[in-house]
Amino acid sequence: MEQLVGLLQSVLGLTPRQGWTWLFAGAFILVLNAFAVGPFAQLDPAWVAIAALAAIFGGSILLVSLGAYFVGKATSGSEKRQAVRERENEWGHVNQEALRNLEVLSPAEQAALAWIVQSGQKRFRTDFFFNLEGNLIAKRIVLGPIGHTNDVYEVIDAVWDIRDQLKERYKAIQLKDEPPWSPYGQVGRYLPR
Protein backbone atom coordinates (compact mmCIF):
# COMPACT_ATOMS: atom_id res chain seq x y z
CA MET A 1 0.00 0.00 0.00
CA GLU A 2 2.83 2.35 0.88
CA GLN A 3 4.44 1.80 -2.53
CA LEU A 4 1.13 2.55 -4.34
CA VAL A 5 0.62 5.80 -2.44
CA GLY A 6 4.24 6.79 -2.99
CA LEU A 7 3.94 6.01 -6.71
CA LEU A 8 0.80 8.11 -7.06
CA GLN A 9 2.44 11.04 -5.31
CA SER A 10 5.67 10.81 -7.26
CA VAL A 11 3.99 10.35 -10.66
CA LEU A 12 1.63 13.23 -10.08
CA GLY A 13 4.30 15.27 -8.31
CA LEU A 14 1.58 17.05 -6.40
CA THR A 15 1.50 18.10 -2.78
CA PRO A 16 -1.42 18.54 -0.37
CA ARG A 17 -1.09 22.32 -0.79
CA GLN A 18 -1.71 21.95 -4.52
CA GLY A 19 -4.62 19.64 -3.76
CA TRP A 20 -6.22 22.29 -1.55
CA THR A 21 -5.67 24.87 -4.30
CA TRP A 22 -7.36 22.76 -6.98
CA LEU A 23 -10.22 21.81 -4.64
CA PHE A 24 -10.93 25.35 -3.49
CA ALA A 25 -10.64 26.86 -6.97
CA GLY A 26 -13.02 24.34 -8.51
CA ALA A 27 -15.46 24.47 -5.59
CA PHE A 28 -15.35 28.29 -5.54
CA ILE A 29 -16.32 28.50 -9.21
CA LEU A 30 -19.10 25.93 -8.74
CA VAL A 31 -20.54 27.80 -5.74
CA LEU A 32 -20.43 31.16 -7.55
CA ASN A 33 -22.15 29.55 -10.54
CA ALA A 34 -24.80 27.92 -8.35
CA PHE A 35 -25.65 31.23 -6.65
CA ALA A 36 -25.51 33.14 -9.97
CA VAL A 37 -22.88 35.60 -8.77
CA GLY A 38 -21.69 38.10 -11.41
CA PRO A 39 -20.07 36.68 -14.51
CA PHE A 40 -20.18 33.17 -13.07
CA ALA A 41 -23.97 33.07 -13.45
CA GLN A 42 -23.74 32.67 -17.22
CA LEU A 43 -20.86 30.16 -17.39
CA ASP A 44 -20.79 27.73 -20.27
CA PRO A 45 -21.59 24.14 -19.11
CA ALA A 46 -18.14 23.05 -20.33
CA TRP A 47 -16.49 25.49 -17.87
CA VAL A 48 -18.72 24.23 -15.06
CA ALA A 49 -17.61 20.66 -15.90
CA ILE A 50 -13.95 21.77 -15.87
CA ALA A 51 -14.46 23.41 -12.47
CA ALA A 52 -16.04 20.21 -11.17
CA LEU A 53 -13.12 18.17 -12.52
CA ALA A 54 -10.65 20.57 -10.87
CA ALA A 55 -12.45 20.14 -7.52
CA ILE A 56 -12.46 16.34 -7.92
CA PHE A 57 -8.78 16.37 -8.92
CA GLY A 58 -7.90 18.45 -5.84
CA GLY A 59 -9.94 16.12 -3.61
CA SER A 60 -8.14 13.13 -5.12
CA ILE A 61 -4.75 14.68 -4.37
CA LEU A 62 -5.85 15.25 -0.78
CA LEU A 63 -7.10 11.67 -0.42
CA VAL A 64 -3.81 10.29 -1.75
CA SER A 65 -1.87 12.57 0.62
CA LEU A 66 -4.07 11.53 3.53
CA GLY A 67 -3.52 7.89 2.62
CA ALA A 68 0.23 8.49 2.47
CA TYR A 69 0.12 10.13 5.89
CA PHE A 70 -1.74 7.21 7.50
CA VAL A 71 0.39 4.60 5.74
CA GLY A 72 3.52 6.42 6.92
CA LYS A 73 2.20 6.59 10.48
CA ALA A 74 1.28 2.89 10.47
CA THR A 75 4.67 1.93 9.04
CA SER A 76 6.53 4.15 11.50
CA GLY A 77 4.56 2.76 14.44
CA SER A 78 5.19 -0.80 13.29
CA GLU A 79 8.92 -0.15 12.93
CA LYS A 80 9.08 1.43 16.40
CA ARG A 81 7.26 -1.53 17.96
CA GLN A 82 9.59 -3.95 16.18
CA ALA A 83 12.65 -2.02 17.42
CA VAL A 84 11.31 -2.08 20.99
CA ARG A 85 10.67 -5.84 20.77
CA GLU A 86 14.17 -6.44 19.43
CA ARG A 87 15.74 -4.36 22.19
CA GLU A 88 13.69 -6.15 24.87
CA ASN A 89 14.76 -9.52 23.45
CA GLU A 90 18.39 -8.41 23.41
CA TRP A 91 18.26 -7.22 27.03
CA GLY A 92 16.42 -10.40 28.02
CA HIS A 93 19.29 -12.40 26.53
CA VAL A 94 21.91 -10.24 28.29
CA ASN A 95 20.09 -10.63 31.63
CA GLN A 96 19.84 -14.41 31.20
CA GLU A 97 23.53 -14.60 30.32
CA ALA A 98 24.41 -12.63 33.46
CA LEU A 99 22.34 -15.01 35.62
CA ARG A 100 24.08 -18.04 34.06
CA ASN A 101 27.47 -16.41 34.65
CA LEU A 102 26.76 -16.14 38.39
CA GLU A 103 27.46 -19.86 38.61
CA VAL A 104 31.02 -19.55 37.28
CA LEU A 105 32.37 -16.67 39.34
CA SER A 106 35.80 -16.99 40.91
CA PRO A 107 36.18 -16.44 44.67
CA ALA A 108 37.51 -12.90 44.04
CA GLU A 109 34.55 -12.10 41.81
CA GLN A 110 32.15 -13.53 44.37
CA ALA A 111 33.70 -11.34 47.05
CA ALA A 112 33.40 -8.25 44.84
CA LEU A 113 29.76 -9.01 43.98
CA ALA A 114 28.99 -9.74 47.65
CA TRP A 115 30.47 -6.37 48.59
CA ILE A 116 28.38 -4.57 45.94
CA VAL A 117 25.18 -6.39 46.95
CA GLN A 118 25.79 -5.73 50.65
CA SER A 119 26.31 -2.02 49.96
CA GLY A 120 22.73 -1.80 48.71
CA GLN A 121 23.63 0.44 45.77
CA LYS A 122 22.87 -0.82 42.27
CA ARG A 123 24.74 2.06 40.65
CA PHE A 124 28.08 3.01 42.10
CA ARG A 125 31.10 5.14 41.37
CA THR A 126 34.73 4.39 41.95
CA ASP A 127 37.76 6.63 41.42
CA PHE A 128 40.08 3.85 40.38
CA PHE A 129 39.94 1.47 37.46
CA PHE A 130 37.25 -1.04 38.31
CA ASN A 131 38.26 -4.22 36.58
CA LEU A 132 38.11 -7.20 38.95
CA GLU A 133 40.42 -8.73 36.41
CA GLY A 134 37.77 -7.55 33.93
CA ASN A 135 35.53 -10.47 34.74
CA LEU A 136 32.37 -8.99 36.29
CA ILE A 137 32.17 -6.57 33.39
CA ALA A 138 33.12 -9.19 30.79
CA LYS A 139 30.52 -11.55 32.25
CA ARG A 140 27.95 -8.73 32.01
CA ILE A 141 27.06 -8.84 35.67
CA VAL A 142 28.28 -5.26 36.08
CA LEU A 143 27.81 -2.76 33.26
CA GLY A 144 30.05 0.19 32.80
CA PRO A 145 31.37 2.64 32.59
CA ILE A 146 27.90 4.13 32.15
CA GLY A 147 27.30 7.03 29.76
CA HIS A 148 30.11 9.52 29.22
CA THR A 149 31.77 8.70 32.52
CA ASN A 150 34.74 6.53 33.25
CA ASP A 151 33.90 5.79 36.86
CA VAL A 152 30.18 4.93 37.14
CA TYR A 153 29.08 1.28 37.03
CA GLU A 154 25.80 -0.53 37.52
CA VAL A 155 24.72 -4.07 38.37
CA ILE A 156 22.53 -5.53 35.61
CA ASP A 157 18.80 -5.69 36.43
CA ALA A 158 18.38 -9.48 36.56
CA VAL A 159 21.26 -9.85 39.03
CA TRP A 160 20.09 -6.91 41.13
CA ASP A 161 16.58 -8.39 41.29
CA ILE A 162 17.95 -11.47 43.10
CA ARG A 163 20.22 -9.54 45.46
CA ASP A 164 18.53 -11.04 48.55
CA GLN A 165 19.34 -14.55 47.29
CA LEU A 166 22.90 -13.42 46.55
CA LYS A 167 23.27 -11.98 50.07
CA GLU A 168 22.22 -15.35 51.43
CA ARG A 169 24.54 -17.23 49.05
CA TYR A 170 27.55 -15.05 49.88
CA LYS A 171 26.95 -14.57 53.62
CA ALA A 172 29.96 -16.76 54.44
CA ILE A 173 32.27 -14.34 52.64
CA GLN A 174 34.04 -12.07 55.11
CA LEU A 175 33.61 -8.50 53.90
CA LYS A 176 35.90 -5.66 54.84
CA ASP A 177 35.14 -1.96 55.03
CA GLU A 178 36.71 -1.41 51.64
CA PRO A 179 35.75 -3.01 48.35
CA PRO A 180 37.81 -6.05 47.40
CA TRP A 181 38.83 -4.50 44.08
CA SER A 182 40.49 -1.51 45.74
CA PRO A 183 44.23 -1.99 45.29
CA TYR A 184 45.10 1.01 47.47
CA GLY A 185 42.53 0.67 50.23
CA GLN A 186 40.35 3.41 48.77
CA VAL A 187 36.66 3.01 49.29
CA GLY A 188 34.43 3.43 46.26
CA ARG A 189 31.86 6.18 46.62
CA TYR A 190 28.27 5.16 46.11
CA LEU A 191 25.68 7.24 44.39
CA PRO A 192 22.17 7.44 45.83
CA ARG A 193 19.69 5.37 43.90
Side-chain angles (χ1 to χ4, degrees):
M1 180 68 174
E2 181 180 358
Q3 289 83 11
L4 175 65
V5 171
L7 178 67
L8 287 173
Q9 281 187 316
S10 65
V11 167
L12 295 175
L14 298 172
T15 64
R17 173 180 268 174
Q18 292 166 327
W20 285 113
T21 303
W22 283 96
L23 178 66
F24 280 132
F28 186 69
I29 291 171
L30 290 174
V31 168
L32 291 176
N33 179 265
F35 287 108
V37 175
F40 296 99
Q42 306 282 333
L43 274 183
D44 186 61
W47 285 107
V48 173
I50 290 171
L53 286 174
I56 291 170
F57 182 64
S60 300
I61 294 170
L62 292 175
L63 285 176
V64 168
S65 297
L66 186 63
Y69 172 77
F70 284 122
V71 167
K73 280 289 192 185
T75 303
S76 172
S78 174
E79 290 171 356
K80 285 179 185 175
R81 286 188 297 276
Q82 180 65 25
V84 166
R85 277 193 299 272
E86 288 173 4
R87 184 166 182 187
E88 287 173 353
N89 288 339
E90 179 183 336
W91 272 107
H93 173 73
V94 169
N95 278 299
Q96 291 303 315
E97 181 182 343
L99 290 175
R100 287 190 301 272
N101 286 338
L102 287 175
E103 304 306 319
V104 295
L105 295 180
S106 69
E109 294 167 339
Q110 290 177 9
L113 184 58
W115 200 92
I116 294 169
V117 168
Q118 291 293 331
S119 74
Q121 297 297 317
K122 179 180 179 183
R123 182 176 282 219
F124 57 95
R125 184 174 72 204
T126 179
D127 289 333
F128 44 85
F129 182 66
F130 175 69
N131 62 6
L132 301 174
E133 295 123 28
N135 290 327
L136 282 186
I137 295 171
K139 291 176 182 169
R140 294 187 177 185
I141 293 170
V142 173
L143 302 174
I146 305 284
H148 297 294
T149 68
N150 61 358
D151 64 347
V152 176
Y153 299 87
E154 184 172 346
V155 179
I156 197 162
D157 292 339
V159 173
W160 190 253
D161 290 343
I162 63 167
R163 66 185 172 276
D164 292 332
Q165 295 171 15
L166 293 174
K167 285 179 187 177
E168 187 66 29
R169 181 189 294 183
Y170 298 140
K171 70 180 177 181
I173 296 176
Q174 297 295 319
L175 297 177
K176 301 176 182 173
D177 291 339
E178 62 189 44
W181 61 83
S182 173
Y184 306 111
Q186 298 172 350
V187 177
R189 293 193 305 271
Y190 286 80
L191 301 175
R193 194 165 180 215

